[in-house]
Amino acid sequence: MPILVEIVTPERRIVSEEVEMVTLPGIMGQMGVLRGHEPLLSTLDIGEIVLHRPGGEQHSIAVHGGVAEVRPNKVTVLADIAEDAESIDVARAEAALQRAREMMESREAGQYDPAAVAALRRSNLRLKVAQRRRRRSGPQFQESAEA
C-alpha cells in the first residue's frame, strides 16, 4: 500500500506523490517510512530523501535541513532547501564544492568553521544526488546476440 509524500520549501512544492517507501535523513540517522508508520516528528539533517516508487524505481532529493511529520498514511517534509535531482546544476555544484574546500583550507590549523563544514556537506550532497540521477538515466547497454 502506498504512502503519500509531500515535500515543500518556503518557495514551492517539490513533490506530492504516492510511493512504496520514503527514506529520510533524520538527525539521528536514516529512517525508512512505510504506510502505517506510527506518528512522529523529526528534525532533518543535510542529506538525501529517497522516494521508493513502485517497480523498484528510486528518486532522490537533496534536502538541507527541515522537519518531517509522519502520519500513518502521509509524510510531510517542510524543508529549508530541497532540490530535485533533475534540477541540480552540476557545474554550479562543483564550483560550490571548490569554494567550500577553499574555505576549509584557508582556516587556521585547529580551528573549526561550522559554516565551511556545512557548505562542504551541502555541496557533496548535491553532487551525490545529481550523480545518482545520471547513473539511473545514463545509456543502457545491451549485449549483442552474435552467433
Side-chain angles (χ1 to χ4, degrees):
M1 301 250 341
I3 186 167
L4 177 63
V5 176
E6 291 189 341
I7 302 172
V8 296
T9 67
E11 290 82 30
R12 67 186 179 99
R13 179 176 299 181
I14 304 293
V15 169
S16 180
E17 72 176 270
E18 290 190 338
V19 297
E20 296 295 319
M21 183 174 106
V22 60
T23 305
L24 302 168
I27 59 168
M28 298 298 287
Q30 293 287 321
M31 64 181 131
V33 179
L34 298 165
R35 184 177 184 88
H37 196 288
E38 288 295 315
L40 69 87
L41 286 172
S42 177
T43 304
L44 299 178
D45 200 359
I46 295 170
E48 179 180 15
I49 295 175
V50 181
L51 304 175
H52 302 269
R53 294 175 169 158
E57 180 188 352
Q58 294 183 357
H59 182 77
S60 296
I61 297 166
V63 66
H64 303 257
V67 176
E69 176 190 23
V70 175
R71 293 183 290 180
N73 61 346
K74 182 179 180 182
V75 175
T76 304
V77 174
L78 306 174
D80 299 331
I81 298 171
E83 295 178 280
D84 190 270
E86 286 76 23
S87 67
I88 294 174
D89 179 338
V90 174
R92 192 170 151 233
E94 287 172 343
L97 178 62
Q98 183 59 36
R99 286 191 305 274
R101 286 181 176 154
E102 289 169 3
M103 284 174 48
M104 293 291 290
E105 291 170 3
S106 69
R107 65 187 166 92
E108 292 182 31
Q111 284 195 333
Y112 178 75
D113 183 357
V117 172
L120 189 64
R121 288 183 65 206
R122 287 191 305 268
S123 299
N124 278 324
L125 170 66
R126 293 177 74 229
L127 287 171
K128 174 182 157 185
V129 168
Q131 288 168 352
R132 283 188 198 280
R133 178 196 73 219
R134 276 191 269 158
R135 279 197 301 263
R136 283 194 305 266
S137 62
Q140 302 296 314
F141 299 100
Q142 295 179 346
E143 293 183 33
S144 61
E146 294 180 18

